[in-house]
Amino acid sequence: MTANADPHLTPVFTLDDTIWMRRALELAVHARDADGEVPVGAVLVLDGKAIGEGWNRNITLSDPSAHAEIGALRDAGRRVGNHRFPGSTLYVTLEPCAMCAMALVHARVARVVYAASDPKTGAAGSVFDTLISARHNHRVEVQGGLLADESAALLREFFKARR
């Protein structure tokens, strides 16, 4: 869903959007396979280049803030030498939570494209509308649903195997 757009319209994604989301899905698989983490991956893109990548590492690092989005922002900060990323797009395999959404607002990310919705803690329209709230001095364009079935299947299989 695009922020401030008709919710009945299907989002339009570009070929580049799909390519970057596929990279985010690769990072989600890495989170699962290398670290035994919940499979969520994120890529921050600016001017057609990945400037930051992250995957869930909160269990591995014993850090509740080590979500994929935060990892991508931290990686971008190191690479770019700044804490703000105007004009950037974050691709993430699961709808951001409230913590990640506020980090994206503070980082001045222009757009978020996510795969699967999170009906329990999603802050990009499912539960909260944090990214587009008029209460903030910056709003982030939001589009959801790109490769949602692939991401949701990855998450479902992960949690099924853990039960």
Side-chain angles (χ1 to χ4, degrees):
M1 180 150 79
T2 301
N4 301 324
D6 184 338
H8 302 291
L9 296 177
T10 302
V12 176
F13 298 109
T14 67
L15 177 58
D16 284 343
D17 290 335
T18 302
I19 290 167
W20 290 118
M21 186 61 76
R22 290 224 177 271
R23 177 61 185 149
L25 283 164
E26 289 172 1
L27 294 168
V29 169
H30 176 80
R32 180 196 66 197
D33 295 349
D35 297 328
E37 296 275 357
V38 176
V40 179
V43 181
L44 188 63
V45 175
L46 181 64
D47 297 329
K49 296 178 186 149
I51 61 168
E53 294 186 334
W55 56 91
N56 272 6
R57 300 198 67 211
N58 50 310
I59 297 166
T60 303
L61 298 176
S62 299
D63 179 356
S65 71
H67 289 191
E69 300 93 326
I70 302 298
L73 292 173
R74 288 176 178 159
D75 186 36
R78 282 188 296 272
R79 290 188 198 192
V80 174
N82 201 337
H83 65 288
R84 295 220 168 124
F85 312 105
S88 66
T89 298
L90 181 87
Y91 296 89
V92 62
T93 59
L94 182 64
E95 180 181 1
C97 69
M99 174 187 68
C100 293
M102 280 310 304
L104 295 164
V105 168
H106 289 300
R108 304 295 192 267
V109 170
R111 178 175 173 239
V112 168
V113 177
Y114 68 87
S117 296
D118 185 345
K120 294 182 180 178
T121 64
S126 290
V127 180
F128 306 105
D129 283 322
T130 306
L131 292 172
I132 62 167
S133 175
R135 294 180 175 124
H136 306 303
N137 61 343
H138 175 75
R139 280 169 267 323
V140 179
E141 179 186 344
V142 178
Q143 288 183 286
L146 177 59
L147 303 179
D149 292 343
E150 289 180 41
S151 179
L154 192 61
L155 289 159
R156 239 185 343 269
E157 290 165 12
F158 175 81
F159 287 114
K160 184 178 178 182
R162 303 229 35 189
R163 286 188 211 131

